[in-house]
Amino acid sequence: MFETETVLDRRRLRRHLSFWRLAAIAAIAIAAGAYFSNGDTLAGLTGKKQIARVTLEGTISEDRKKLRMLGKIAEADHVAALIVFVNSPGGTTTGGEAIYEALREVSKKKPVVAQFGTIAASAGYIVGLATDHIVARGNTITGSVGVIVQWPEVSDLLDKVGVKVNEVKSGLLKATPSLFQPLDEPGRKVTSEMVTDSYRWFLSLVEERRGIKADNVPGLMEGRIFSGRQALAHKLIDEIGGEAEAVRWLEDERKIAKKLKVVDWKPSDGSRFGLTSIAADISRAATSAALTAFSERAGETALLRGFSLDGLVSVWHPSEN
């Protein structure tokens, strides 16, 4: 009898231990999920108010995950405001346009402020134009209002190595400009018209959003860059400072509750715990490291990096002599 009760007690103890082990695993999973989602999921469940922070660094492109994330921020009741940290020389003009429109949708529901880092030029400046207030460092590089399209032309090289490219096309302007033939006058004309159209759109954004006349700002229409102090003098930005000044503006001018936590939001890649997701993360990291090493060894130039951007480009980089 005594042995039977002992066995039953041990079984009950095992069941209790199993329950608490499962509970502990579930708690760890929830905590890890909240961590990997940068706190926004947990804050949403608790209803705790926050200021969302979105970081846009490097080349700006039309990223659907980022656009969906901005849509979620617009609809999130626990997000009181949005800070957009921009540290980018620019990118594709359509990428800047897409993020601009998404941020304007956010601003219809909650205040949005931009904080410029080391550089926020071209398409990076387009992003800033979408916000209600722009804060930049005194030495931030900004401006570079304009559009460019670049492509290499290798017809002479092909002639030297004895390679001929044949083509049959439906019209004279199809596939113009081309890598494989010099740019003729009709091709130059239509390409220039396209660049001019996008440039006028960019200028209209500057004038509309900043309340200025572009031709009153020295060099603006020529695509020059400005320091943060120069940009402030010409009303291209609103304030010199960093995140503290951005938060203070939200509190003072938009009456956002003081001392709200600023929470980073990042695009969701779905579950981050599966073997497939982990393998993909490892693969991406290895590929990035390999490309970085190759770029350093090959001495990749800013011009060559520009060739990797298809379409109209709003990007700034210094000339390399």
Side-chain angles (χ1 to χ4, degrees):
M1 182 67 178
F2 177 75
E3 291 181 357
T4 301
E5 290 180 354
T6 301
V7 170
L8 292 175
D9 285 340
R10 286 178 178 173
R11 287 178 179 174
R12 282 193 293 268
L13 180 60
R14 288 196 191 100
R15 284 196 294 269
H16 284 304
L17 288 173
S18 297
F19 169 79
W20 288 113
R21 284 170 181 163
L22 290 172
I25 292 171
I28 292 171
I30 292 172
Y35 171 80
F36 282 111
S37 62
N38 304 294
D40 57 283
T41 301
L42 187 58
L45 292 173
T46 61
K48 189 174 181 180
K49 286 284 186 177
Q50 64 172 247
I51 297 173
R53 176 171 54 213
V54 170
T55 298
L56 298 175
E57 292 185 302
T59 303
I60 291 174
S61 61
E62 189 168 2
D63 188 323
R64 287 179 292 177
K65 291 179 181 178
K66 287 181 180 176
L67 297 177
R68 283 196 298 268
M69 177 188 65
L70 291 174
K72 290 179 181 178
I73 290 173
E75 299 299 327
D77 292 334
H78 64 291
V79 175
L82 171 62
I83 294 175
V84 183
F85 176 73
V86 184
N87 192 27
S88 167
T92 65
T93 310
T94 52
E97 178 186 7
I99 295 176
Y100 172 89
E101 292 176 349
L103 288 174
R104 293 306 303 144
E105 289 300 312
V106 176
S107 71
K108 292 177 181 178
K109 300 185 177 183
K110 54 202 65 179
V112 182
V113 59
Q115 180 205 344
F116 288 172
T118 301
I119 180 170
S122 255
Y125 186 62
I126 291 176
V127 171
L129 291 173
T131 67
D132 306 314
H133 190 75
I134 301 176
V135 180
R137 299 291 183 185
N139 293 299
T140 293
I141 297 172
T142 189
S144 187
V145 173
V147 178
I148 185 172
V149 58
Q150 292 179 317
W151 66 96
E153 195 257 294
V154 297
S155 58
D156 287 345
L157 175 63
L158 295 180
D159 287 341
K160 290 178 180 178
V161 298
V163 176
K164 183 177 181 181
V165 177
N166 297 308
E167 66 178 13
V168 177
K169 54 185 181 180
S170 58
L172 292 177
L173 297 176
K174 179 66 178 174
T176 298
S178 170
L179 294 172
F180 307 117
Q181 61 186 25
L183 185 65
D184 57 19
E185 192 53 38
R188 182 180 298 278
K189 183 174 183 294
V190 297
T191 304
S192 178
E193 288 175 352
M194 183 175 62
V195 169
T196 300
D197 178 70
S198 294
Y199 170 58
R200 287 173 179 166
W201 167 81
F202 195 164
L203 277 182
S204 70
L205 285 187
V206 176
E207 295 187 328
E208 175 189 346
R209 296 295 300 160
R210 300 306 305 170
I212 61 176
K213 286 291 184 181
D215 55 6
N216 290 338
V217 180
L220 179 70
M221 298 182 68
E222 287 73 36
R224 68 161 285 186
I225 56 173
F226 302 86
S227 71
R229 287 178 292 273
Q230 292 172 324
L232 179 64
H234 294 301
K235 300 182 179 179
L236 298 175
I237 67 168
D238 298 295
E239 187 178 1
I240 298 295
E243 185 172 289
E245 286 71 25
V247 172
R248 188 179 304 121
W249 180 84
L250 290 170
E251 294 173 345
D252 294 345
E253 300 299 326
R254 292 305 181 90
K255 308 307 178 186
I256 298 300
K258 293 184 181 297
K259 297 184 179 179
L260 289 185
K261 185 178 181 182
V262 178
V263 179
D264 281 307
W265 281 60
K266 295 182 181 179
S268 173
D269 291 323
S271 174
R272 300 180 66 97
F273 300 104
L275 291 177
T276 302
S277 177
I278 293 172
D281 287 344
I282 294 173
S283 176
R284 281 192 294 269
T287 301
S288 176
L291 288 174
T292 300
F294 175 80
S295 298
E296 291 174 352
R297 287 178 177 273
E300 181 185 1
T301 67
L303 179 61
L304 290 176
R305 289 195 296 274
F307 291 152
S308 67
L309 296 175
D310 292 331
L312 295 174
V313 176
S314 294
V315 64
W316 174 86
H317 58 73
S319 298
E320 295 189 6
N321 296 322

